[in-house]
Amino acid sequence: MKFEGIYTPAITPLAADGSIDKAAFAEVLEYLVESKIHGVIIGGSTGEYYAHTTQERIELAAQAKDVLNGRLPLIVGTGGIRTEDAVAFAQHAKEIKADALLVGTPPYALPTQQEIALHVKAVDAAAGLPIMLYNYPGRMSVSMGEEFFDAVADVKNIVAIKESSGDMAQLHRLAIKRPNIQLSCGWDDQALEFFAWGAQSWVCAGSNFIPREHVALYEACVIEKDFAKGRKIMAAMMPLMDFLEGGKFVQAIKNGVALNGLKTGGVRKPLYDLDDAEKAELKRVVTELKATIALIK
């Protein structure tokens, strides 16, 4: 499987009682299809998987498969502290005929490099689907290093990695030493650098609400190979990147989606929504970003 383009880790809308709003979730997916992104990820950090029950995650994945109905690739996140849980999510993804898995390091447990490799291999054995690795030490506390990549070199289903360490040296090492693993940008304000180093895709939460602008950067850098244009688009996006890194990431993404008239229902605890001043600032940033990028040729 080739990962090319913009892959959106979809948000999970909530109803007034805190339950998952399935009708609103379907609307979110339809919006993404209409926006011509290139794939959808369910069960990612932006989708608040960590705040969902096992049953909720299974039902969301199944609904996403039904709604998308082959119009976009579906990648299912298998995140979990226990390998047994990740395996169960992978098995369900196989049952619903998902296109690929997102497989990260189990959080909190602090596994060794060999233990991360065994975790990935167990998930792979359970589903046999293409795998996009997910390296996010900021949340998992452990990074996928050279020992890990050596240990999984025989796993043929590993085709890509969402690299979210923020470590530019890690990007360089992957591009040079692991050319068989497709690079996908997982650190938004480094998108331009990822594309320069050969990445063909970008997993970006912001594409939940400004998908066309994200697609524009991808097309400038990867399709048109016009990095002068890409730098202009990236410069226009940087105020949003800075806002998103202000400590309320998922809250900001969901409020961005609400700006488009879609239902989001806030976030699950322990998180709380943006305050009025933050919402107003996000709206200002997004409005200016759209206006600026629309003028870039």
Side-chain angles (χ1 to χ4, degrees):
M1 178 177 178
K2 285 191 174 182
F3 286 90
E4 297 174 319
I6 298 299
Y7 287 76
T8 304
I11 66 157
T12 307
L14 301 177
D17 64 359
S19 64
I20 292 174
D21 188 333
K22 294 185 176 181
F25 181 58
E27 291 177 359
V28 165
L29 295 177
E30 290 293 349
Y31 171 78
L32 294 176
V33 171
E34 293 168 5
S35 299
K36 301 188 184 307
I37 56 142
H38 303 88
V40 172
I41 297 175
I42 300 300
S45 304
T46 305
E48 300 175 88
Y49 83 86
Y50 51 82
H52 296 161
T53 67
T54 296
Q55 188 61 32
E56 285 175 329
R57 290 179 65 177
I58 287 173
E59 291 177 1
L60 274 174
Q63 183 185 359
K65 179 63 179 179
D66 288 343
V67 172
L68 293 175
N69 193 28
R71 292 177 293 170
L72 286 175
L74 173 65
I75 298 89
V76 174
T78 62
I81 295 177
R82 302 189 325 141
T83 296
E84 292 88 347
D85 293 334
V87 163
F89 293 129
Q91 289 172 333
H92 180 255
K94 180 180 181 180
E95 290 171 9
I96 64 173
K97 295 182 171 56
D99 296 282
L101 304 175
L102 184 68
V103 185
T105 302
Y108 196 81
L110 301 179
T112 67
Q113 297 293 296
Q114 287 295 329
E115 287 166 342
I116 302 171
L118 291 172
H119 174 84
V120 171
K121 288 183 175 183
V123 173
D124 175 54
L129 292 173
I131 289 174
M132 174 183 275
L133 296 171
Y134 185 16
N135 185 39
Y136 194 180
R139 285 195 186 243
M140 313 309 177
S141 297
V142 180
S143 185
M144 294 173 174
E146 293 299 306
E147 184 181 348
F148 163 78
F149 290 110
D150 288 341
V152 297
D154 60 336
V155 181
K156 303 305 180 186
N157 284 319
I158 293 176
V159 297
I161 182 168
K162 179 189 176 188
E163 172 52 42
S164 302
S165 68
D167 180 1
M168 194 59 64
Q170 173 83 342
L171 168 60
H172 299 162
R173 284 191 294 268
L174 288 168
I176 295 168
K177 295 184 178 181
R178 310 290 171 177
N180 59 309
I181 302 178
Q182 301 168 54
L183 278 170
S184 187
C185 177
W187 197 265
D188 289 347
D189 63 9
Q190 294 178 351
L192 196 72
E193 289 84 352
F194 268 81
F195 290 140
W197 277 94
Q200 302 285 300
S201 65
W202 181 10
V203 179
C204 41
S207 61
N208 272 284
F209 62 97
I210 49 167
R212 293 176 182 86
E213 288 75 15
H214 285 76
V215 170
L217 181 62
Y218 160 75
E219 290 181 342
C221 296
V222 178
I223 306 301
E224 302 167 24
K225 301 189 185 306
D226 185 346
F227 277 86
K229 179 179 178 181
R231 283 192 295 273
K232 293 178 183 177
I233 296 172
M234 193 70 197
M237 298 182 82
M238 285 307 296
L240 175 62
M241 307 295 187
D242 293 340
F243 186 94
L244 294 178
E245 292 303 318
K248 295 185 177 181
F249 187 83
V250 176
Q251 301 95 313
I253 298 298
K254 280 195 156 181
N255 272 275
V257 173
L259 290 174
N260 290 333
L262 293 170
K263 297 178 182 177
T264 64
V267 290
R268 279 192 172 169
K269 293 180 178 59
L271 304 184
Y272 287 83
D273 202 1
L274 301 184
D275 61 32
D276 290 342
E278 290 166 333
K279 290 178 181 179
E281 177 61 10
L282 176 61
K283 183 177 181 178
R284 184 195 67 77
V285 167
V286 171
T287 299
E288 185 172 316
L289 178 156
K290 287 183 175 182
T292 301
I293 293 178
L295 298 174
I296 296 174
K297 304 297 183 183

